[in-house]
Amino acid sequence: MKKIKSQLLYAALIGILIGAYSCKPKNAGSAVTSDAAGKVYVAPGKYDEFYNFVSGGFSGQMSTYGLPSGRLLRVIPVFSVDPEKGYGYSEETKPMLNTSHGFVPWDDLHHPELSQTNGEVDGRWIFGNANNTPRVARIDLSTFRTAEIIELPNSAGNHSSPFITENTEYVVAGTRFSVPPDNVNGDVPINSYRKNFKGYLSFISVGKEGQMDIAFQIQCPGVNFDLSHAGKGKSHGWFFFSCYNTEQANTLLEVNASQKDKDFILAVNWKKAEEYLKAGKGKKVTVKYAHNVYNEKTHTATSEIRNEVTVLDSKELADMCYFIPCPKSPHGCDVDPTGEYIVGSGKLAALIPVFSFDKLQKAIANKEFDGSFDGIPVVKYQSALYGEVQKPGLGPLHTEFDGKGNAITSFFVSSELVRWNIKDLKVMDRVPTYYSVGHLCIPGGDSRKPFGKYVIAYNKITKDRYLPTGPELAQSAQLYDISGDKMQLLLDFPTIGEPHYAQALPADLIKNKSVKFYNIDENTNAFASKGEATVKVIREGNKVQVYMTCIRSHFTPDNIEGIRVGDEVYFHITNLEQDWDIPHGFAIKGAANGELLIMPGETQTLKWIPEKPGISPFYCTDFCSALHQEMQGYVRVSPTGTNAPLLFSTGKNMPVTEGANKE
Ligand code: K7E
Ligand code: CUA
């Protein structure tokens, strides 16, 4: 009876959560202060103060905005093919999207995370997670291109990822879905969840040049891991993960995973894990995962399948993992700049619990436990609790920090941002969002040194904020000034895909190290032509290798004959320009993939299989000079089985050869 009653209660609560509140808050006007325009105005030709990297959600990409203007600067292709840039279409970039399941052209990117040194954002790289086919990507912030992608075995729904330790020692990824480990027979009944499903946390080491490697995984009980953050300062060496579905339900989670009054935050002592690893306590396990690296000299990605990972068992190895009870289906798990306070945001909780790292350490030392969960000690709630923020709002999701002793939390259900003081836990200020806010971002807001000038809210449901665009409306970011006593809305700007987390940093950390072009002398692509004198067209059976160059405003060669229907033609095109912002594009009629967009000094390859005889024109797709429209050429395709000789030229006519249609 009690159970039924509580189920009804939760059903009602969920009804409230998804229905009544999820639209407009009161006074949903424009609510902008009169000086807002001046505060976001960046005059033409002037630079923004911050870069803002925004996850693209189900677009699989990451976009870059300038702040405070909200101007979109660039969409960086990460996990999804991008015809605009040829990413995933050129032969050189295809291996970036290789996985143990083969080529995967799409994913769902939720969380960007900047690299850090001494707990401060350093502008070297930004990492992103693939939620669906679990992977972590590293983007190089001197090129704004994806440099590396590593797949995660034993995982599914890589959501609590990719959060980093304060010297970027590790990028850490927790699995959302627990699943049977990869090395056992996973053909088990779904309702054997409790017995057969496990949760894995991956610790990916990051080398000096950024190289990622799975250092170890920790096998944990089967629950859902949602979000995470590293300890910092005094709590450096620890990692915190929010968990839900500690009910271990496998169906109708909206009810069945909302039964318990408290779920958990998992505290992991990763320094201890390192000791166990050194002591040989890890088990080598056979798995299969891809590791893909883009080489800036060959301009080519390579993909390697790896077959082993080292696993530490949280059940067997003591003093490594502890659960802290956290009310109710926690989502965000955020650590303040001092490293002392750990904030859990229970989606269904009416308060925000703030845990103390010092109290946690004492509780562990004194064994103040409430039993254990699947072999992991559960610390008493009160023993780890610093205090609770009372009546903060409805549906807390995520918290960032302003560096002045305050936290700002997003509330999905009551559509607002709430600022509260970390010491006295008193609410100071609240401001509406339009509308249901997910993540929020303060530049450097999860680091030891936030730049607390702005907060940006990333909103899910924007009904009536923009011109209608059919059944789906643009999702939205909103910029607020947080420098004064009251948070002030300054600006709305639409986003690409669905924004989840975002990070921002001062533009000065990046802008002066931007790569302007690739040195052609360092181009070691096997198919590069370093000058027009070295171009050639070679037949190898039914493969044709076209070594081509481009420079304003022509291709060399631009006339090619002797191609046959069914040939595999590879256009290897080297951009000879040595000047900033002069890419050339390449597209050929009927190509079944996309275009190339070739950066200065770079070589990229498009594969083309002509399927009928005739003339196929090709052209440059990027307006590169006054004579861009003249930057074009022709390929003559003859029928299969003909003996037309391979000929190529630029600027002069080739000998006339006979085809099906004589001239
Ligand atoms: Cu809150 Cu996927 Cu980080 Cu979206 S998640 S909001
Ligand atoms: Cu090259 Cu347009």
Side-chain angles (χ1 to χ4, degrees), residues 298-310:
T298 60
H299 303 288
T300 305
T302 47
S303 178
E304 175 202 359
I305 294 290
R306 295 188 174 174
N307 293 301
E308 194 178 77
V309 79
T310 305

Side-chain angles (χ1 to χ4, degrees), residues 110-111 131 159 227 331 397-398 438-439 460 498-501:
H110 283 217
H111 306 126
N131 233 343
H159 194 262
L227 279 151
H331 188 57
L397 290 189
H398 299 284
H439 275 276
K460 309 282 182 197
E498 178 181 7
H500 293 264
Y501 193 34

Side-chain angles (χ1 to χ4, degrees), residues 584 620 622-624 628 631:
H584 292 286
C620 171
D622 186 333
F623 209 113
C624 50
H628 153 81
M631 193 164 175

Side-chain angles (χ1 to χ4, degrees), residues 21-150:
Y21 288 88
S22 63
C23 287
K24 290 192 204 181
K26 283 168 255 149
N27 61 37
S30 60
V32 179
T33 44
S34 55
D35 57 345
K39 287 184 173 172
V40 300
Y41 183 69
V42 178
K46 292 280 184 267
Y47 288 163
D48 276 291
E49 187 182 351
F50 293 97
Y51 285 100
N52 184 199
F53 297 94
V54 183
S55 61
F58 44 70
S59 84
Q61 319 295 43
M62 201 185 289
S63 39
T64 309
Y65 293 85
L67 294 178
S69 72
R71 297 182 293 196
L72 175 63
L73 305 175
R74 184 168 188 81
V75 177
I76 305 167
V78 185
F79 294 116
S80 295
V81 296
D82 181 1
E84 178 192 344
K85 299 174 186 72
Y87 181 79
Y89 292 101
S90 70
E91 294 305 299
E92 283 80 0
T93 55
K94 279 178 184 173
M96 290 302 284
L97 299 177
N98 191 37
T99 72
S100 62
H101 307 270
F103 180 82
V104 173
W106 169 90
D107 218 294
D108 182 15
L109 193 164
H110 283 217
H111 306 126
E113 176 89 346
L114 289 159
S115 56
Q116 294 185 6
T117 304
N118 296 323
E120 297 179 18
V121 295
D122 59 24
R124 286 179 294 168
W125 313 297
I126 191 160
F127 298 86
N129 66 319
N131 233 343
N132 185 47
T133 302
R135 284 167 289 169
V136 169
R138 179 174 58 86
I139 292 145
D140 187 320
L141 290 180
S142 64
T143 60
F144 283 62
R145 292 171 126 190
T146 303
E148 188 176 2
I149 292 180
I150 194 162

